[in-house]
Amino acid sequence: QVQLVESGGGSVQTGASLRLSCAASGRTFSSYSMGWFRQAPGKEREFVSIINWSGLWTSYADSVKGRFNISRDNAKNMVYLQMNSLKPEDTGVYYCAGSSGGADPNARNYAYWGQGTQVTVSS
């Protein structure tokens, strides 16, 4: 029902900032809970942040809390992840995901995924 395309990844040094964007198709986007997840090779996909349909409620993994900020613009069908004070352990492929249900940190509850964008943080 919806297609997601991430962008904004790159290779940066420790302490740098990046802003990831997720462009969504479909007229039902505004009703979807959205999330950002990341994955390193050989590891399971990891919860990063989620935002409910209205954007009024958000949640973050402990590892990124205080450094990352998720936001959305339903009028533009966009979701963003502002990443500050990046650390090498933030390295991975970042995925945008959508769910027709409520916001949930469990990746299994998200039916729609983007192709991912690589974030590499060097020391």
Side-chain angles (χ1 to χ4, degrees):
Q1 293 180 349
V2 61
Q3 292 186 337
L4 308 172
V5 180
E6 304 94 334
S7 62
S11 182
V12 299
Q13 293 182 321
T14 297
S17 296
L18 284 173
R19 189 194 193 201
L20 305 184
S21 298
C22 174
S25 65
R27 293 178 176 85
T28 61
F29 171 76
S30 62
S31 68
Y32 277 64
S33 298
M34 301 295 296
W36 286 97
F37 298 80
R38 65 189 182 190
Q39 187 171 25
K43 298 181 65 177
E44 291 187 346
R45 200 159 294 184
E46 176 188 33
F47 162 73
V48 176
S49 183
I50 46 178
I51 187 167
N52 80 330
W53 68 272
S54 68
L56 296 177
W57 182 89
T58 60
S59 185
Y60 300 88
D62 289 342
S63 60
V64 306
K65 193 172 185 179
R67 299 188 296 119
F68 290 12
N69 183 65
I70 189 171
S71 61
R72 69 190 297 164
D73 186 340
N74 288 343
K76 296 181 179 179
N77 281 10
M78 296 290 292
V79 183
Y80 306 97
L81 184 68
Q82 178 67 45
M83 305 186 296
N84 301 315
S85 301
L86 284 164
K87 306 174 181 179
E89 50 263 46
D90 294 319
T91 294
V93 178
Y94 283 68
Y95 297 91
C96 178
S99 172
S100 60
D104 195 303
N106 190 340
R108 295 182 182 272
N109 293 327
Y110 292 80
Y112 305 101
W113 296 84
Q115 83 289 350
T117 185
Q118 177 70 43
V119 173
T120 302
V121 185
S122 62
S123 60

